[in-house]
Amino acid sequence: MSSTLDVSSRERQHDEAPRRGGPDAPRTKRKSGRLAPYLFLAPWFAGLLFITAGPIAASAYLSFTDYSLIGSPEWIGLDNFQRMFNDPRFYQSLKVTFIYVAVSVPLQLAFALFLAMILDRGLKGLALYRSVYYLPSLLGGSVAIAILWRQIFGSDGLLNQVLRFVGFENPPGWVSNPDYALGTLIVLNVWTFGAPMVIFLAGLRQIPTMYYEAASLDGAGKARQFFQVTLPLLSPIIFFNLVLQTINAFQTFTQAFIVSGGTGGPADSTLFYTLYLYQRGFGNFDMGYASALAWFLLLIVGGLTAINFIASKYWVFYGD
């Protein structure tokens, strides 16, 4: 009887003992458990503070100063912004950039969707084609491709050699002619269709075949199926690609810098906004004015993105 009482008392003592990790665990252990996620996130927070948030705050301050990268910033208030709206090259850079975005982004997305629909038909070696078509997106923004593009569209470049071979006597120097220079950069941006194409292909794979079967039974042809089934169901992917590629197009710099030799020529026909910003900041050492240009670009991109989100409710269709 006594042994039975001893066993039951030991069991009660065991049950009353604090469980590990429970509400009665030592406070130090609980604190260390709470701090662990923040320790893993510390490198990211450090990068956000010193690489992103810090330069953004510094740029915001410099946009209200006269700063030449050599002396100390001198506060001038809104003078940089007032000066901006009296700068003819500022308006020219806006014009060139808006034309570039308005023409190249729709063409790029249309071409990407066209190739995605071809690849969606179940071609053999789909993984290889997908990888090959994705390469332009990886290489299109590089200096090497920009130099190659300048050689292809130069006065004695590959394109003109082909045109002379087929009978054209005096083809223009595409990158040296103000009427065609911007067009060559638009073609280059369209050529970097790989990233949106892969996203379109993933979206097409998610559309159930039963919708096409139902449309076919109702007598809808391929064209009607595309406009009545594919586009509405793919509209969230189109919207995502549109926002992403628009932002990327506004940030285009390398291609224009290399093709024009850093001048934005000929006759400022390739003077992209980012290139003009670079010229003012690092060419003329007018970093205060360049910071103001950067913040105005942020407002433009943010405003257009907000407009896209507001307008999306009229043409983007989700599953619900």
Side-chain angles (χ1 to χ4, degrees), residues 109-296:
L109 296 184
F111 192 58
L113 179 57
F114 172 74
L115 286 178
M117 293 186 66
I118 292 178
L119 295 178
D120 189 48
R121 295 184 176 182
L123 298 176
K124 292 183 179 180
L126 177 61
L128 175 62
Y129 284 113
R130 188 166 50 197
S131 301
V132 170
Y133 286 144
Y134 186 72
L135 282 178
S137 290
L138 298 177
L139 302 176
S142 65
V143 175
I145 294 298
I147 294 175
L148 177 63
W149 214 256
R150 184 174 183 176
Q151 296 299 322
I152 292 175
F153 289 95
S155 300
D156 297 323
L158 178 62
L159 178 59
N160 281 352
Q161 292 180 17
V162 173
L163 292 176
R164 292 189 184 99
F165 180 78
V166 298
F168 289 90
E169 295 182 357
N170 295 311
W174 304 95
V175 295
S176 59
N177 190 319
D179 296 330
Y180 305 109
L182 181 59
T184 62
L185 297 179
I186 290 175
V187 173
L188 176 56
N189 190 52
V190 175
W191 180 68
T192 60
F193 59 86
M197 183 209 67
V198 172
I199 298 174
F200 277 138
L201 183 59
L204 289 170
R205 292 297 179 88
Q206 299 301 317
I207 299 178
T209 57
M210 63 179 181
Y211 294 124
Y212 295 105
E213 294 171 356
S216 179
L217 291 175
D218 290 338
K222 294 297 182 182
R224 189 173 179 183
Q225 290 180 23
F226 174 74
F227 288 103
Q228 299 295 329
V229 178
T230 304
L231 285 184
L233 294 178
L234 201 63
S235 57
I237 306 299
I238 297 174
F239 173 66
F240 174 79
N241 275 332
L242 175 63
V243 172
L244 195 64
Q245 297 307 317
T246 299
I247 295 174
N248 290 338
F250 270 105
Q251 296 176 342
T252 300
F253 169 78
T254 304
Q255 299 91 321
F257 182 85
I258 298 299
V259 170
S260 68
T263 64
D268 285 346
S269 60
T270 60
L271 184 66
F272 284 14
Y273 193 96
T274 51
L275 178 57
Y276 183 53
L277 190 156
Y278 172 84
Q279 290 178 353
R280 300 303 308 183
F282 297 97
N284 298 335
F285 296 101
D286 195 355
M287 189 57 69
Y289 186 51
S291 299
L293 289 172
W295 275 93
F296 191 78

Side-chain angles (χ1 to χ4, degrees), residues 63 78-91 94 273 276 288-297 300:
S63 65
L78 296 174
D79 288 356
N80 283 327
F81 295 94
Q82 295 175 356
R83 174 184 168 194
M84 185 189 308
F85 294 109
N86 295 318
D87 185 356
R89 296 196 78 204
F90 163 75
Y91 290 105
L94 279 179
Y273 193 96
Y276 183 53
Y289 186 51
S291 299
L293 289 172
W295 275 93
F296 191 78
L297 177 62
I300 293 174

